[in-house]
C-alpha cells in the first residue's frame, strides 16, 4: 500500500509548486517556439554566419569543459578530501565567478590576462602574443564562468561518496594517487558527468565575459549568444530563429548524452 | 510609498488625458511656467547621453519639484526594441534616425525632432602603443587612412548599433585602411577597451572622448564629417505623462540644454 503510493502519487503540497515551476521554466521556451517565424528558419540556417557561430560555440564550450575537468576535478578533491587549513575560504574564493556578473568577470580577466594585464603584459612583451580577441580567449572566458559549476557538483559527489572504500583501499596498500584513480574516480563518475554537463551548458550560453574579454568577431570570437544579442538589435525575428537553433542543438546534445552516457547513472 | 502615490498621480493624469477634451496640451494642463507638472517622467535615452541627460534631469526636477525624472540609458537599438515590445516610457531620445524610424514605423511616436549631433573620432590609449598620429605638417583635417596603419588592433561598434553603422561608413570612405579586430555591442564597450589599453585604437563619438577625460587621446579625421549621427527625441503617443515629456524635450532644445550638450562634446547640430 505504502509502496504503491511512493511509486505513483505525488502529494499535493509538492505537485502544485512543481507544476508552477514547470510552467515558469517551460513557458518562455514555448513562447520562442510559438513566435518563431518558421518560414525564415531555412534561409537563416543556410546563411554562413550561423553555421560559423554555432560551430564556434560547440567547440569552445567543449574545450572549456575539458579544461574544467582537467583542473576542476582535482580542485574538488582538494576541497572535499584534503585537510588543508583555510579550505572554506578557498571554496568561497573559487566560487566567486558564480556570483560575479559575467561582464565584471570579463574586465577582471583583462586586468590579469590582457596585454596590459599583470600576467598578460609579461607574455606580450616576451612573445608578442596577446590573448584577447582570439578563440583561446573565448575558451578562457567560458572556463572562468563555467568551471565553478563543475567544482561544486564534483565536491558534492565526493562528500556524499562513502569514504570507507578509500580507507579500505589504503589499508590494502594503495597510495593516495592510486586510490584516487582506481576507487574515488569510478565512485564519483556520475557526479563528474553531471557536473560536466552543467559546465558545458553554462559555457554554451556564456555571453557577458565572452563579449567583454574576447570581443565579437565573426568566425573567431562570435559565439551564438553574441550573434543572438546583436541580431536582437536589428531584427528580433532573426534573433528568435538563432535562439531556437542554439536551443535545439543543446537539447539534442544533452538528450543524446543522457541516453548514451548518463543512462545508467540517472536510473540508479 | 512616495513612489506609489506618485504613480497613482501619474495614472490619474493619464486617465484625465483619455477622458478630457481632445485639446492638444490640455491633458495635464501645463501653465506657461509648467509649475503644475507632476508625476513620474520616464525617459529612454541613448547610452552616449548618460552624463548630459542626468545633469539636465536634475535641472528639470529643480524647475518642476513635483516631477520625478527616471532615466533608462542603453544602446538606442536595445531601447527601440524594448519600446516596440511595449516598455512604458514618456520620451525616447535616440542616437540616430534609423532607430527612431523603427519606433516611428511601429506607430509609437510622432514628429521626432533633432536636438544634437555626434561624429566619430579615433581614440587611442594615452600610452599610444601603436604610435598612431596624424602626419606632420599636413594641411587641414587628415584622412583616417593617414592615421591608421593596417597592423593595429582596432575596436569598432557592431554594425547593428548606430556607432557601428557610422564606423563602417567612415572606414569604407577612407578606403579600409585597417580591419577591425572586434565588433563591440555599444560605443562605451569600445571606449573601455581603449582605456584599458587592450586595443591600439577605437572609433568612438566625440562626446565619449569628453566623458573619458584623460583616459584616452583622440584624433579627428575628415571622413567623420560624412557620417554624422543625428540625435532625435520624440514623445511617445501613449506616454503616461506627455506634458512633462514635452517640457523636458523643450529643455533639451533650449539654450541651456544646447549649452550643456555642447559642453559634453556634442557638436552643434
Amino acid at each position: 500500500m505504502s509502496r504503491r503510493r511512493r511509486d505513483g502519487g505525488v502529494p499535493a503540497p509538492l505537485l502544485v509548486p512543481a507544476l508552477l515551476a514547470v510552467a515558469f521554466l517551460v513557458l518562455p521556451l514555448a513562447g520562442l517556439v510559438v513566435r518563431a517565424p518558421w518560414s525564415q528558419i531555412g534561409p537563416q540556417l543556410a546563411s554562413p554566419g550561423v553555421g560559423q557561430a554555432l560551430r564556434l560555440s560547440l567547440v569552445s564550450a567543449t574545450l572549456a569543459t575539458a579544461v574544467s575537468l582537467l583542473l576542476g576535478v582535482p580542485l574538488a578533491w582538494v576541497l572535499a578530501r584534503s585537510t588543508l587549513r583555510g579550505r572554506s575560504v578557498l571554496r568561497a574564493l573559487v566560487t566567486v565567478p558564480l556570483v560575479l556578473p559575467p561582464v565584471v568577470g570579463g574586465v577582471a580577466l583583462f586586468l590579469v590576462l590582457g596585454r596590459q594585464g599583470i600576467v598578460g603584459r609579461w607574455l606580450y612583451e616576451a612573445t608578442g602574443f596577446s590573448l584577447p580577441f582570439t578563440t583561446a580567449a573565448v575558451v578562457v572566458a567560458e572556463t572562468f564562468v563555467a568551471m565553478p559549476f563543475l567544482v561544486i557538483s564534483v565536491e558534492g559527489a565526493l562528500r556524499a561518496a562513502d569514504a570507507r572504500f578509500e580507507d579500505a583501499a589504503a589499508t590494502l596498500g594503495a597510495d593516495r594517487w592510486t586510490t584516487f584513480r582506481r576507487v574515488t574516480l569510478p565512485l564519483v563518475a556520475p557526479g563528474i558527468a553531471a557536473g560536466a554537463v552543467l559546465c558545458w551548458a553554462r559555457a554554451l550560453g556564456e555571453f557577458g565575459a565572452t563579449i567583454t574579454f574576447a570581443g565579437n568577431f565573426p568566425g573567431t570570437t562570435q559565439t551564438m549568444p553574441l550573434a543572438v544579442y546583436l541580431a536582437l538589435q536589428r531584427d528580433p525575428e532573426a534573433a528568435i530563429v538563432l535562439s531556437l537553433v542554439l536551443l535545439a542543438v543543446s537539447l539534442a546534445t544533452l538528450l543524446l548524452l543522457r541516453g548514451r552516457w548518463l543512462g545508467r547513472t540517472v536510473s540508479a | 510609498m512616495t513612489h506609489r502615490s506618485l504613480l497613482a498621480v501619474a495614472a490619474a493624469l493619464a486617465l484625465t488625458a483619455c477622458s478630457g477634451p481632445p485639446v492638444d496640451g490640455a491633458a495635464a494642463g501645463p501653465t506657461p511656467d509648467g509649475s503644475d507638472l507632476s508625476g513620474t517622467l520616464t525617459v529612454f535615452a541613448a547610452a552616449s547621453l548618460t552624463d548630459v541627460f542626468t545633469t539636465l534631469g536634475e535641472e528639470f526636477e529643480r524647475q518642476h519639484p513635483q516631477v520625478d525624472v527616471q532615466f533608462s540609458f542603453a544602446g538606442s537599438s536595445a531601447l527601440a526594441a524594448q519600446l516596440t515590445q511595449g516598455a512604458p516610457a514618456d520620451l525616447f531620445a535616440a542616437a540616430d534616425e534609423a532607430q527612431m524610424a523603427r519606433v516611428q514605423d511601429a506607430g509609437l511616436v510622432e514628429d521626432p525632432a533633432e536636438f544634437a549631433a555626434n561624429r566619430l573620432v579615433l581614440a587611442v590609449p594615452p600610452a599610444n602603443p601603436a604610435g598612431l598620429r596624424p602626419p606632420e605638417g599636413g594641411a587641414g583635417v587628415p584622412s583616417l587612412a593617414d592615421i591608421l596603419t593596417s597592423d593595429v588592433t582596432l575596436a569598432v561598434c557592431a554594425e547593428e548599433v548606430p556607432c557601428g553603422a557610422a564606423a563602417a561608413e567612415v572606414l569604407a570612405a577612407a578606403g579600409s585602411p585597417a580591419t577591425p579586430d572586434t565588433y563591440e555591442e555599444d560605443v562605451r564597450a569600445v571606449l573601455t577597451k581603449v582605456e584599458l589599453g587592450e586595443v591600439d585604437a577605437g572609433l568612438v563619438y566625440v562626446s565619449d572622448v569628453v566623458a573619458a577625460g584623460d583616459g584616452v587621446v583622440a584624433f579627428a579625421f575628415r571622413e567623420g564629417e560624412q557620417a554624422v549621427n543625428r540625435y532625435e527625441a520624440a514623445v511617445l503617443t501613449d506616454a503616461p505623462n506627455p506634458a512633462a515629456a514635452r517640457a523636458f524635450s523643450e529643455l533639451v532644445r533650449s539654450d541651456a540644454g544646447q549649452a550643456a550638450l555642447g559642453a559634453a562634446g556634442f557638436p552643434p547640430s
Side-chain angles (χ1 to χ4, degrees):
Chain A
M1 184 64 193
S2 73
R3 173 162 177 80
R4 200 191 306 165
R5 193 164 51 196
R6 201 180 304 162
D7 285 348
V10 181
L14 295 183
L15 184 64
V16 173
L19 285 178
L20 279 176
V22 169
F24 180 66
L25 294 175
V26 174
L27 279 181
L29 307 184
L32 273 182
V33 174
V34 170
R35 291 290 301 273
W38 291 101
S39 59
Q40 279 189 31
I41 287 201
Q44 279 286 344
L45 281 181
S47 78
V50 173
Q52 214 173 32
L54 189 60
R55 196 160 47 243
L56 183 69
S57 280
L58 294 174
V59 168
S60 55
T62 306
L63 285 174
T65 309
V67 175
S68 298
L69 280 169
L70 218 58
L71 306 178
V73 172
L75 173 60
W77 188 89
V78 168
L79 291 177
R81 287 283 191 271
S82 78
T83 49
L84 219 64
R85 284 166 68 88
R87 265 186 314 160
S88 50
V89 176
L90 188 64
R91 183 182 304 113
L93 282 178
V94 299
T95 49
V96 159
L98 288 178
V99 291
L100 206 62
V103 176
V104 179
V107 174
L109 286 173
F110 262 139
L111 298 180
V112 175
L113 298 174
R115 68 176 196 188
Q116 298 289 319
I118 302 164
V119 177
R121 176 199 307 257
W122 171 82
L123 184 72
Y124 182 63
E125 278 163 13
T127 64
F129 175 75
S130 134
L131 187 59
F133 316 119
T134 63
T135 305
V138 177
V139 176
V140 168
E142 291 183 352
T143 307
F144 179 76
V145 173
M147 185 162 32
F149 287 85
L150 179 102
V151 174
I152 299 269
S153 302
V154 176
E155 196 208 341
L158 280 167
R159 287 180 174 281
D162 195 337
R164 282 177 304 179
F165 288 110
E166 294 169 7
D167 296 341
T171 58
L172 292 172
D175 59 32
R176 297 200 88 175
W177 171 236
T178 309
T179 308
F180 174 75
R181 273 188 310 130
R182 305 287 293 275
V183 178
T184 315
L185 269 190
L187 207 56
V188 297
I192 294 178
V197 166
L198 199 60
C199 174
W200 184 80
R202 180 66 187 87
L204 195 68
E206 217 299 307
F207 172 77
T210 308
I211 200 166
T212 308
F213 182 59
N216 170 51
F217 193 88
T220 313
T221 60
Q222 188 181 76
T223 56
M224 281 298 272
L226 274 57
V228 170
Y229 178 78
L230 287 167
L232 199 56
Q233 309 283 307
R234 185 157 62 186
D235 182 2
E237 296 212 319
I240 294 176
V241 172
L242 292 178
S243 309
L244 275 179
V245 170
L246 184 61
L247 191 71
V249 169
S250 44
L251 270 182
T253 310
L254 291 178
L255 288 176
L256 205 74
L257 281 179
R258 181 140 287 213
R260 275 220 180 153
W261 182 40
L262 289 174
R264 260 176 311 158
T265 66
V266 166
S267 58
Chain B
M1 196 57 209
T2 334
H3 262 88
R4 195 172 295 170
S5 52
L6 281 176
L7 277 178
V9 172
L13 281 174
L15 283 177
T16 323
C18 295
S19 57
V23 179
D24 186 46
T31 56
D33 61 9
S35 58
D36 56 351
L37 289 177
S38 61
T40 302
L41 168 64
T42 308
V43 179
F44 276 32
S48 41
L49 295 167
T50 303
D51 301 327
V52 61
F53 265 37
T54 304
T55 313
L56 286 175
E58 284 161 7
E59 170 65 24
F60 190 78
E61 283 180 341
R62 223 177 354 260
Q63 290 176 10
H64 308 282
Q66 300 298 310
V67 180
D68 178 25
V69 185
Q70 299 284 345
F71 288 109
S72 175
F73 294 111
S76 303
S77 325
L79 292 174
Q82 288 172 19
L83 288 172
T84 54
Q85 289 293 319
D90 297 299
L91 188 70
F92 177 41
D96 75 352
E97 294 145 302
Q99 297 307 323
M100 184 57 85
R102 254 177 91 184
V103 177
Q104 198 172 3
D105 290 346
L108 298 173
V109 298
E110 281 164 20
D111 306 327
E114 185 180 330
F115 65 91
N118 218 341
R119 61 183 165 75
L120 293 176
V121 290
L122 189 72
V124 302
N128 201 352
L132 301 176
R133 46 184 46 85
E136 300 281 327
V141 185
S143 163
L144 186 57
D146 298 332
I147 313 173
L148 272 182
T149 51
S150 61
D151 56 341
V152 297
T153 312
L154 176 68
V156 301
C157 291
E159 283 191 39
E160 284 84 352
V161 294
C163 60
E169 216 172 305
V170 298
L171 280 171
S176 305
T179 316
D181 292 88
T182 177
Y183 296 94
E184 297 293 315
E185 77 270 29
D186 63 34
V187 67
R188 293 285 164 130
V190 175
L191 189 70
T192 304
K193 288 185 169 67
V194 176
E195 284 182 293
L196 287 173
E198 294 300 334
V199 293
D200 297 322
L203 287 171
V204 300
Y205 292 126
V206 184
S207 62
D208 296 306
V209 171
V210 173
D214 296 335
V216 299
V217 176
F219 303 118
F221 51 86
R222 63 171 176 263
E223 290 82 5
E225 303 299 334
Q226 297 172 16
V228 174
N229 282 71
R230 310 214 168 273
Y231 282 59
E232 294 186 333
V235 178
L236 277 95
T237 44
D238 55 355
N241 200 349
R246 272 190 293 272
F248 188 79
S249 178
E250 277 158 25
L251 172 66
V252 170
R253 280 199 298 271
S254 71
D255 290 345
Q258 291 294 307
L261 282 161
F266 292 89
S269 63

